[in-house]
Amino acid sequence: MKDSRRSRLFLGLLLAAALVLITVDHRSENTPVFGPMRTIVTSAFGAVERGVSTVTEPIGGFVGAVAGAQGSRAQINNLKTQNAKLQGELSSQRIDKRRSAELQAMLGLSGLGGYKVVPAQVVARRAAPGFEDAVEIDAGTADGIKPDMTVLNGEGLVGRVVSATASTATVVLLCDPASSAGARLEGTGELGVASGLGANGGSGRRIMFRLLDSTAPLPVGTRLVSFGSQQGVPYVAGVPIGTIEKVEATPGELTRTAYAKPFADLSSVDVVGVVVEGPKRDPRDALLPPAPKPAAKPAAKPAAKPKPAVPALPGQQAPPQVARPSQSPAPGDTAPGNDAPENTPATEQGRDGQTSIPGDEAA
Amino acid sequence: MPRILITTLLVLTALVLQVTVVNRLPVSVVPDFVLLVVIALAAIRGPVAGATIGFFAGLGADLLPPVDHALGQHALVLCLVGFAAGRWAERRPLLTVAVCAAGGPALALAVAGLLGDPGVDLRTFEVAWPMAAFVNLLAAPVVVWAVLKVYGPRPEKATAAAVPGWRRA
């Protein structure tokens, strides 16, 4: 009883004190009586709280992780799959973009030359030492491809078709030792033969050029275009081939031997075009990329804009004619092939290049 | 006959992956996985089976587009390699696999030269063979390991015990 009474008294006192504090604090809103005390205590507690929570946060996190492990693992898996999917999409978009650029360059080149091309994509390649350098493309006789047709990409000559099935065709590359193409020097028009070197040429990094007239000048850096055979079989005229890199001294021989770097990167061909119909007139040097300003710098720009280096002949501004029949079974694999907007910018580039040249009003 | 199925599947996979993926990598020299798979299979199965596997794998390689060489050129090379790998793999497995992996491209070049392929001469050999042999040697352990994994432990031990000394004859 005694205890109880004392404790009641104590409780009452404390309640009274609390009420007093409440009253005082409430009444003295504008004249802070407890202000400083409150600040000190708050900051002290705050510091302690921060310290403690720093220490205990990992524990809490651990407990939380253990408690929510199942859910978070599922979430991590979700995020991972999502991430992988997005990354895949990103890289495939990058590849699509590159292919679209290659296709545009190719269409620009073929439009400039007035070739009628069938776009195609490389699906397989053979490159064992002692065997041919050949690729398989995803267009065949159903698309109008026949053996002995010229194959090019945005940079230049790639090779020729050797056989074709309904939906695929085999293309022997320019760097295959068994393939040779008639070539013509830029400007002077001297004739020669460009032939592949196989493994000797570093797998397509170099081809050999034999100049038939051994007295004609053959400076390093001269560009080659295809000479073209009768009715464009197997090579149509005017396709850029490469740049002379090295001239061999062969005194007393009937021909002069030089080595050229092909414009097309033959070790990684992807989007190509098969010329199903040659130009009405030989485009001569008009398809060569712009001449490099310093003499020692070969045209190494990827997807160089086809721009005539010398005044172009009139009548070459035919838009690129893409001959892909609509009954083609799989439009998805070379999707941008038939899209008109895809090839218009390339054509515009080509036209811009030509209109900058005086003497073109005739066209 | 699940072994025949597994063998066929392995060889076909190697053939298709070689032309569609490996050869299209933007590098100038790539390992020849068909050759390596044939070597590994022959090393497990012995000379006769190795030669047969090599022959048919080579025939597949000759038929698989893109192709512009005489039919049977690959078959000849891989048949010889398969036989050699099967013949000596039991005594000196590591050395045999290495020699076959490095010698395969050399044999292919020699056959191509003998058949009169244009552009294959001694200089081609000097340029092309060392790199091809090197990448084959690099890839050989991986392929042999993978084939062993798919094929399981060497099944020939039971055969050799059942028919003592038939391989040494």
Side-chain angles (χ1 to χ4, degrees):
Chain A
M1 285 292 134
K2 222 164 145 197
D3 270 359
S4 146
R5 200 193 297 157
R6 213 204 267 163
S7 61
R8 273 179 208 161
L9 186 67
F10 198 66
L11 181 67
L13 270 178
L14 284 180
L15 283 176
L19 283 174
V20 168
L21 281 178
I22 289 168
T23 317
V24 170
D25 200 23
H26 188 69
R27 297 294 296 252
S28 65
E29 222 167 49
N30 300 327
T31 53
V33 180
F34 299 117
M37 192 178 79
R38 196 182 277 235
T39 316
I40 290 165
V41 173
T42 308
S43 59
F45 268 111
V48 173
E49 274 168 7
R50 225 177 302 132
V52 171
S53 68
T54 313
V55 174
T56 56
E57 204 173 50
I59 300 169
F62 177 72
V63 173
V66 169
Q70 211 49 48
S72 59
R73 194 182 300 153
Q75 199 177 4
I76 286 172
N77 282 343
N78 257 347
L79 289 175
K80 265 186 187 162
T81 45
Q82 209 173 350
N83 199 12
K85 206 177 120 212
L86 288 176
Q87 265 178 353
E89 269 173 23
L90 191 67
S91 67
S92 71
Q93 265 182 8
R94 230 176 268 142
I95 289 172
D96 282 350
K97 206 179 274 177
R98 184 174 55 79
R99 285 201 175 133
S100 151
E102 277 182 37
L103 187 66
Q104 265 192 19
M106 196 263 296
L107 289 174
L109 185 75
S110 52
L112 202 60
Y115 308 119
K116 201 169 171 190
V117 296
V118 172
Q121 199 182 331
V122 173
V123 291
R125 163 156 210 177
R126 185 182 290 269
F131 292 94
E132 69 280 357
D133 275 321
V135 295
E136 193 75 5
I137 56 173
D138 65 349
T141 47
D143 306 291
I145 292 175
K146 289 194 278 289
D148 282 336
M149 280 180 166
T150 312
V151 180
L152 46 77
N153 71 359
E155 282 121 44
L157 189 63
V158 168
R160 72 192 157 89
V161 177
V162 289
S163 64
T165 64
S167 59
T168 62
T170 305
V171 176
V172 165
L173 299 182
L174 185 63
C175 58
D176 185 71
S179 79
S180 47
R184 202 165 49 69
L185 284 184
E186 159 199 31
T188 63
E190 290 290 340
L191 298 185
V193 178
S195 46
L197 284 170
N200 284 348
S203 308
R205 253 172 259 129
R206 264 190 179 178
I207 54 173
M208 190 166 71
F209 176 67
R210 278 219 177 83
L211 188 64
L212 297 181
D213 183 357
S214 62
T215 57
L218 181 58
V220 170
T222 321
R223 277 102 46 96
L224 302 170
V225 295
S226 69
F227 175 58
S229 335
Q230 207 167 16
Q231 294 170 346
V233 172
Y235 293 106
V236 293
V239 185
I241 293 180
T243 317
I244 298 284
E245 263 191 344
K246 194 177 131 210
V247 181
E248 231 168 48
T250 48
E253 277 192 24
L254 286 176
T255 58
R256 287 182 75 187
T257 306
Y259 295 96
K261 181 184 190 301
F263 284 125
D265 185 2
L266 296 174
S267 61
S268 62
V269 279
D270 193 10
V271 174
V272 296
V274 183
V275 179
V276 291
E277 199 181 305
K280 302 266 188 310
R281 300 180 60 175
D282 182 357
R284 302 184 71 84
D285 298 340
L287 306 191
L288 284 169
K293 274 149 223 149
K297 201 178 144 208
K301 278 170 264 168
K305 285 174 203 160
K307 233 179 180 183
V310 294
L313 287 175
Q316 278 164 12
Q317 295 164 353
Q321 296 166 292
V322 181
R324 186 111 186 181
S326 50
Q327 77 266 23
S328 142
D333 44 14
T334 51
N338 279 327
D339 295 351
E342 281 293 334
N343 53 36
T344 23
T347 323
E348 288 310 310
Q349 280 166 9
R351 283 187 180 161
D352 288 345
Q354 282 194 332
T355 44
S356 66
I357 289 164
D360 201 42
E361 300 86 20
Chain B
M1 286 281 136
R3 277 206 303 187
I4 284 186
L5 274 183
I6 295 178
T7 310
T8 317
L9 223 73
L10 270 175
V11 169
L12 283 181
T13 315
L15 280 169
V16 171
L17 285 187
Q18 179 78 36
V19 294
T20 52
V21 178
V22 179
N23 283 349
R24 291 180 62 203
L25 296 177
V27 288
S28 57
V29 190
V30 289
D32 189 347
F33 283 105
V34 180
L35 175 80
L36 296 176
V37 166
V38 166
I39 291 172
L41 288 174
I44 295 172
R45 298 282 302 269
V48 178
T52 317
I53 292 167
F55 177 80
F56 283 106
L59 210 58
D62 282 327
L63 290 171
L64 199 71
V67 60
D68 189 37
H69 61 259
L71 183 71
Q73 203 171 330
H74 248 123
L76 172 64
V77 172
L78 289 185
C79 182
L80 283 174
V81 171
F83 179 80
R87 176 78 178 73
W88 286 288
E90 206 178 20
R91 276 182 229 167
R92 296 165 173 275
L94 281 183
L95 185 71
T96 306
V97 169
V99 166
C100 288
L107 191 62
L109 279 170
V111 169
L114 286 176
L115 288 176
D117 267 11
V120 177
D121 51 13
L122 216 58
R123 213 178 138 257
T124 319
F125 192 83
E126 285 166 16
V127 174
W129 179 65
M131 279 315 286
F134 179 67
V135 292
N136 274 358
L137 283 180
L138 280 188
V142 182
V143 174
V144 171
W145 176 82
V147 171
L148 273 177
K149 201 86 179 155
V150 173
Y151 230 75
R154 298 169 68 115
E156 74 195 315
K157 270 182 185 149
T159 329
V163 190
W166 70 277
R167 186 152 295 156
R168 259 153 274 149

